Each structure stands twice: as structure tokens, then as C-alpha cells.
């Protein structure tokens, strides 16, 4: 990702994505996107209006830029369930309306829709308290059923292995051996990775402080529609989308919290060894790069905080300190664009010429952001 425009209440600044420093942008793409940011303010993660926000922004980009590949990421269903506890007929009606909404958009603009759900959500069952451990327990990040432990004591190990709501405890050595982690990434792996049973979360450093009702299920299968039956694994999706692009404009539509009961179609594998993907950057990248977490830059239990500091690369990309290669937007030789409400996941995983996303952290709404890839900037020059 080359450059970006941050928009906060109409105030805008332009930045180099890698250094975070302010720059001056000129050319067709920035002049196209700047007024779109100003006229489409993000309503917030828990506002149902965030669903049409995605398609309204996408419509502006499609009309002006005409990308062949379009990625739309809808995180609003996740937040309405996670924070608000939406269920029953209210949930079914919302999902039905969303599916009709995106299908209508694709039909109007001539896109073949490839829709993938990130998996079912289940009711929260309880909390595993790690505050009494001797080692440092970190439960930050978007994957609520994982905790990373540094320097655990013998008593810590006994406590974790005996806990009735812990389903797995893996050492650094086991993680390295299972996922064949490269030497350069070994430093990012905790001493222990602890996995909670479905429905349980952890209380530890960085754990979620907001009330929540539903959690991502640790789903073995997730739903997809719009690709043929040869797609059987989450990592097959990117290849299927690229093949579709050879014959028609294609929209990859990611809907968080969508289960196999919500979306008729094919159920594909959602795992890498014992690691089950949930709504996270790892899942988005498995979809858009065709690479499992074992071949991604960030291993299970990634300790992003060790790269914090004034010299961290890509400061506007959350814990991400490098931009992955092999995304659909990067590989596709034609025009590409992405719009999403899962903040930095959108630009990190899409690799699109133009990405517009909400700029939100822990549901604090800071505005919106447009990001231009290296390819997108070079195409306008």
C-alpha cells in the first residue's frame, strides 16, 4: 500500500502508508476519492446504516473507476450480534435484507457475486480468568478464544491443562513444528498459546472490555456461493475469483457472522491443522491470498506489540507491519477496488488499487480512510 487519505469529519490529510508521514498527493485517484470520503461519513460499527454505507461508497467508485474486481466486506452483522445480541427473526430478516441488497447491487452493475460468510456465531458461555497466572497473559486482538502466555510457571501449566473450559495448550515448539514457522517469525510466537472452548473468552491483558453476547464460533466449515464445487477449502476462494475474472466482472463479498444455515451454497473447510479461523486478518488473508496461516506473515498467537514504537512500519494498519503479497487485487492485472467496515483488514487483505474503509479502533469512530496500492498509483501516472 503506497499512500492514503484520512478523513475525519471533513478534515483530510494525505499520508505515506509505510512511514505514516504526511505527504502531498496529486492525480486522478486522489481527486476521485477525496469527495467520496467527504460525502459518505461512516455511521459506526453498531449502526445498521453501515450496511448501505458499503454499497453506497462502492457505487461511487464503480461509476467513476469501473473496476473489474470489487471486494465488499460487511462487518456490521458481526457487531450487531457480538455487542447487541441480535438473534431470532431479527437476525434472519437482517441477513435476508443484506443478501438481497448485495445481489441487487451486483445485478445492476454487472458483477458476478461470490459471497462468503466468516462462520456462525454462538452465545457467550463464560470467562476464563488468567489474571492470577505468574506469567504474562495477553488476550488482546480480534480472536477472542486465544490467549498468549509468556514465561508461564509450572503452576500456570497445571492450571491451564486442568481448566474445564480450555480446549488446547500449545507450546512455542509445537506451534513451530505444526505450522513450519520460519526462523524470522519465531520471535513473534508466545511461549504458550491457549485456546478456549467454543463460547468462552479470557480475562487478561488486552481482553475485551465492552459487553458482548455472541462470539465467533470455531467453525470447521463456512459457507460460500458463486463458485463451482471444486472449491472445497477457504484457500481455494482466491483462485476461483481470479478464474471468474477471466470471463466476467466479479465481486467478492465477505459477510461476517454468516453461517452455513444463513447462506445456501457450498460449505468449505475453515481450518489449518488445529487452527480454526474466525473473524480476523488471518481469515481474510486465507480468503484473498489462498495461503493458510502457516504461510502468512503472522503466526498463531502473533505478538504484535513487540513491533510497537515510533519506527513501526505501516502505523495506520494496526498491528500489521508489512503488507502481504499475493492478494487478489495485487495479482489481478486489471482495475480493482474494495470497500469494507472491518477497518484495516480491508486494505491489508484486498490489495486493491483503491480501498475505502472505516477508520475505527475498538468501536471508536475516527472517520474513514482511502488507501491506494502501488499498482493503483502507478496506473494513474
Amino acid at each position: 500500500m503506497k499512500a492514503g487519505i484520512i478523513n475525519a469529519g471533513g478534515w483530510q490529510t494525505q499520508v505515506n502508508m509505510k512511514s505514516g508521514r504526511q505527504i502531498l498527493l496529486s492525480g486522478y485517484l486522489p481527486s476521485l476519492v477525496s469527495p467520496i470520503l467527504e460525502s459518505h461519513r461512516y455511521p459506526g460499527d453498531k449502526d445498521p446504516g453501515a450496511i448501505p454505507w458499503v454499497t453506497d461508497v462502492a457505487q461511487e467508485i464503480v461509476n467513476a473507476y469501473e473496476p473489474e474486481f470489487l471486494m465488499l466486506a460487511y462487518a456490521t452483522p458481526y457487531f450487531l450480534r457480538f455487542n447487541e445480541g441480535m438473534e431470532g427473526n431479527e437476525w434472519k430478516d437482517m441477513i435476508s435484507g443484506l443478501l438481497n441488497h448485495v445481489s441487487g447491487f451486483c445485478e445492476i452493475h454487472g458483477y458476478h457475486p461470490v459471497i462468503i460468510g466468516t462462520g456462525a456465531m454462538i452465545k457467550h458461555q463464560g470467562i476464563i480468568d488468567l489474571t492470577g497466572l505468574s506469567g504474562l497473559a495477553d488476550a488482546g486482538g480480534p480472536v477472542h478464544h486465544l490467549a498468549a502466555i509468556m514465561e508461564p510457571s509450572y503452576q500456570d501449566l497445571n492450571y491451564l491443562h486442568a481448566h474445564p473450559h480450555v480446549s488446547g495448550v500449545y507450546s512455542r515448539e509445537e506451534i513451530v513444528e505444526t505450522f513450519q514457522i520460519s526462523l524470522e517469525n519465531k520471535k513473534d510466537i508466545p511461549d504458550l498459546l491457549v485456546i478456549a472452548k467454543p463460547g468462552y473468552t479470557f480475562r487478561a491483558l488486552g481482553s475485551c472490555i465492552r459487553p458482548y453476547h455472541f462470539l465467533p464460533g470455531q467453525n470447521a466449515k463456512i459457507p460460500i456461493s458463486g463458485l463451482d464445487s471444486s472449491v472445497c477449502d477457504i484457500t481455494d476462494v482466491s483462485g476461483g475469483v481470479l478464474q471468474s475474472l477471466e470471463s466476467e466482472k466479479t465481486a467478492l463479498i465477505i459477510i461476517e457472522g454468516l453461517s452455513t444455515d444463513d447462506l445456501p451454497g457450498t460449505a468449505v473447510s475453515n481450518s489449518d491443522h488445529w487452527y480454526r479461523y474466525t473473524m480476523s486478518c488471518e481469515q481474510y488473508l486465507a480468503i484473498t491470498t489462498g495461503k493458510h496461516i502457516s504461510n502468512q506473515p503472522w503466526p498463531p498467537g502473533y505478538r504484535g506489540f513487540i513491533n510497537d514504537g515510533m519506527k513501526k512500519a505501516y502505523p495506520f494498519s494496526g498491528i500489521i507491519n508489512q503488507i502481504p503479497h499475493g492478494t487478489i487485487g495485487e495479482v489481478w492485472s486489471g482495475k480493482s477496488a474494495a470497500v469494507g467496515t472491518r477497518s484495516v483488514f480491508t486494505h491489508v487483505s484486498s490489495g486493491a488499487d483503491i480501498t475505502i474503509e472505516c477508520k475505527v479502533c475498538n468501536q471508536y469512530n475516527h472517520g474513514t480512510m482511502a488507501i491506494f496500492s502501488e499498482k493503483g498509483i502507478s496506473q494513474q501516472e
Side-chain angles (χ1 to χ4, degrees):
M1 292 294 143
K2 178 80 170 178
I5 302 174
I6 298 172
N7 182 88
W11 172 87
Q12 294 188 0
T13 190
Q14 301 165 344
V15 295
N16 177 292
M17 289 299 292
K18 187 171 184 179
S19 69
R21 296 186 180 278
Q22 188 175 16
I23 57 174
L24 289 176
L25 280 174
S26 61
Y28 172 64
L29 291 187
S31 63
L32 181 156
V33 167
S34 178
I36 295 176
L37 291 175
E38 189 166 352
S39 61
H40 293 278
R41 299 187 182 183
Y42 182 59
D45 285 343
K46 296 182 288 184
D47 190 324
I51 290 173
W53 179 87
V54 173
T55 21
D56 289 346
V57 171
Q59 182 164 299
E60 296 256 24
I61 295 176
V62 167
N63 290 341
Y65 190 59
E66 300 180 340
E68 298 90 15
F69 170 62
L70 183 65
M71 174 174 143
L72 304 178
Y74 295 88
T76 310
Y78 166 87
F79 291 114
L80 290 177
R81 204 147 219 213
F82 179 78
N83 295 110
E84 304 298 308
M86 183 181 284
E87 59 182 322
N89 289 333
E90 188 179 13
W91 170 262
K92 291 178 182 178
D93 291 344
M94 187 270 295
I95 291 299
S96 176
L98 173 52
L99 291 173
N100 290 334
H101 181 70
V102 296
S103 297
F105 173 88
C106 289
E107 184 175 354
I108 289 169
H109 295 284
Y111 284 92
H112 171 66
V114 174
I115 303 174
I116 186 165
T118 58
M121 298 180 71
I122 59 176
K123 284 191 175 181
H124 182 224
Q125 301 296 313
I127 296 174
I128 301 166
D129 191 356
L130 302 182
T131 58
L133 298 186
S134 299
L136 175 65
D138 176 14
V143 184
H144 299 285
H145 66 270
L146 297 184
I149 316 292
M150 297 305 297
E151 300 183 5
S153 67
Y154 180 75
Q155 289 76 16
D156 293 344
L157 287 168
N158 287 338
Y159 172 78
L160 294 169
H161 281 292
H163 201 289
H165 301 141
V166 169
S167 65
V169 180
Y170 298 94
S171 68
R172 175 181 293 176
E173 292 71 27
E174 288 174 306
I175 295 170
V176 169
E177 183 178 353
T178 300
F179 296 96
Q180 295 297 297
I181 304 296
S182 64
L183 290 174
E184 61 180 322
N185 284 340
K186 283 188 179 181
K187 62 180 175 55
D188 299 330
I189 304 172
D191 292 331
L192 285 182
L193 182 67
V194 186
I195 301 179
K197 288 184 177 179
Y200 289 88
T201 55
F202 294 100
R203 179 177 290 118
L205 181 69
S207 55
C208 183
I209 59 173
R210 296 182 183 275
Y212 46 92
H213 305 275
F214 280 79
L215 296 171
Q218 298 173 40
N219 300 288
K221 300 282 187 179
I222 56 174
I224 185 168
S225 67
L227 294 177
D228 63 38
S229 59
S230 65
V231 175
C232 58
D233 187 86
I234 188 173
T235 56
D236 296 333
V237 175
S238 62
V241 171
L242 287 166
Q243 185 175 0
S244 176
L245 281 165
E246 295 296 334
S247 58
E248 57 187 331
K249 295 193 301 182
T250 302
L252 173 63
I253 299 159
I254 301 173
I255 302 178
E256 295 194 13
L258 201 67
S259 72
T260 52
D261 292 332
D262 298 318
L263 179 66
T266 303
V268 299
S269 175
N270 184 50
S271 305
D272 185 10
H273 299 282
W274 43 257
Y275 189 89
R276 295 275 175 86
Y277 296 107
T278 62
M279 297 74 164
S280 63
C281 201
E282 296 88 1
Q283 188 179 42
Y284 271 65
L285 285 171
I287 293 168
T288 63
T289 66
K291 298 175 183 177
H292 275 302
I293 191 171
S294 48
N295 293 308
Q296 294 178 17
W298 307 287
Y302 173 68
R303 300 185 303 142
F305 61 85
I306 65 175
N307 296 306
D308 284 348
M310 293 298 291
K311 294 183 179 180
K312 176 193 175 295
Y314 297 99
F316 298 113
S317 300
I319 65 171
I320 305 305
N321 63 349
Q322 58 180 295
I323 299 299
H325 293 295
T327 52
I328 299 171
E330 181 187 50
V331 173
W332 174 242
S333 58
K335 293 181 179 180
S336 58
V339 184
T341 52
R342 182 50 93 170
S343 195
V344 302
F345 291 3
T346 316
H347 77 259
V348 170
S349 64
S350 72
D353 303 342
I354 307 168
T355 299
I356 294 182
E357 63 193 27
C358 60
K359 186 164 177 53
V360 177
C361 183
N362 291 328
Q363 296 178 10
Y364 292 104
N365 188 354
H366 301 299
T368 53
M369 190 169 187
I371 302 94
F372 309 104
S373 71
E374 189 87 41
K375 179 161 69 79
I377 290 292
S378 64
Q379 283 180 347
Q380 72 164 359
E381 294 174 348

